[in-house]
Amino acid sequence: MDPLAGKRSRRKKKKANAGRRAMKLFYRTLVIISAVIVTTFVVWNLTIRPPAVEAPPIPTQDAKPPVDDPDTPDIDESQTTPAVGQTLNRKDRYYTFLLAAGDQVSGNADTIMIASYDVPNQKVSLVSIPRDTLVDRTHGKNHYYKINGAYAFGGIDELKEAVTEMLGIPIDFYVTVDLKAFVEVVDAVGGVDFYVPIDMNYDAPDQDLHIHYNQGQHTGLTGQQVLEIARCRKNSVWYDAVNYDVYDAYAGSGTNREETQRGLMVAIAKKLLSWGSLTKINSFVDILQRNVKTNLSGTDMAYFASQAVAFKMDTGMSTAIFPGAGDVTYKGNKWCWEYDREASLEIINTMLNPYTTDVTPDMTHMVQAN
C-alpha cells in the first residue's frame, strides 16, 4: 500500500473544500451586490419624480362663441372648438421640447425644432419649424415677420412664446445648442454615417466656409463635416475670384434642409445610444455643460434618462416638417414659409399635442399672407 496515498487524498479533499468555500463566498458576494443594485435602482426610481408641467389654460365663461372660418372650407370651427368654459386636460407624462441653434453670423435661429416625448408609450416625435416661417410679431421696438427673428430679438423666451402662439400648445422645456457642441459630440462618438441627399458645392471665402459633398452614403463623418452638411442651404458657382452666383441647393430635389438636419440628429442620437458611446458619458456631460442652455433641471434630466432606457429609435421615433409654401411674400418680406393650416393642424394633433382633446384651429395662430 502506498504510504503517501492517504496524504494525497487528504490534500485533494482540502482543496475541494476550499474550492467549494470560495464558490459559496463568490455566490454570496454576487447576491449581495445584486441586491444592492436592485435596491438602489428601485430607490432611485422612487425618488425621481416626473417633471411638473404648466397647467392648461381655462377658457373664460364670457368668451365669444366659436364661429366657422370661411377660409378653411374643410373644417367647421363652430363644431370642433371646445365648448366655452371647457377645461383642457393634459395627457399623462407627455412632454414638449423646443430645440434651437443660433446662426453664427446673423444671430437668428438657424435651426428650430419641436419635439414631444410620450413616456408611457415610449414615442418621440421631432418636427422641424422652417426658419423662414411666417409670423407677425413685435418684441420691444422690433417688428419681425420670420420666426427666426424671434431668437435674435428676444432669445429663447421670445421664440418659445412665438411657437406656443402659433401652434396652440405649451412648451414645457427648451434646449438651445451652440453649434460647436455638434462638432464635439460627433467627434467624441467617433464620427457618424449619413446619406447626403443632394450634391453640395458651396464656397464663402469671407467666412472661410467650403462645403463639398457628393450625394450618397458617407461613413465616418467628423463633427466639422456634419456641421457643414447641416448648414448648407445654397450652392455657389464661381466664374472668377470675384463673380459668382448662388442657388437653392435643394431646389427640385424632393427634400429640404430641415429633413437633412433631422436626419443628422437621428444619426447622432443612434450613435450616442450605442454601447460603445455609453462608456464615454462623462465626456458628453462636459460637452453639454459647456455648449447647451436649458431649463431642464438635473432631476428632470435624470428622470428622462431613466425612462429613455426603454426607448427604441427604430420603432419609437417619428419625424416631420410643417408643410406649406416657401415662396410667399408678406408685407414686402420675401421667401416666407406660409403654413398649410389644415395639414399642419393634423401634425400638431398626431405628433405634438399634449392635451387629451384635439387642438382646434382657433387655438392656433398660423399667419396667412392673404
Side-chain angles (χ1 to χ4, degrees), residues 62-77:
D62 59 352
K64 294 181 180 179
V67 296
D68 184 26
D69 184 348
D71 292 332
T72 55
D74 297 326
I75 303 174
D76 184 355
E77 288 83 0

Side-chain angles (χ1 to χ4, degrees), residues 101-115:
D103 189 302
Q104 293 175 311
V105 178
S106 68
N108 292 332
D110 187 58
T111 301
I112 308 171
M113 298 183 187
I114 184 167

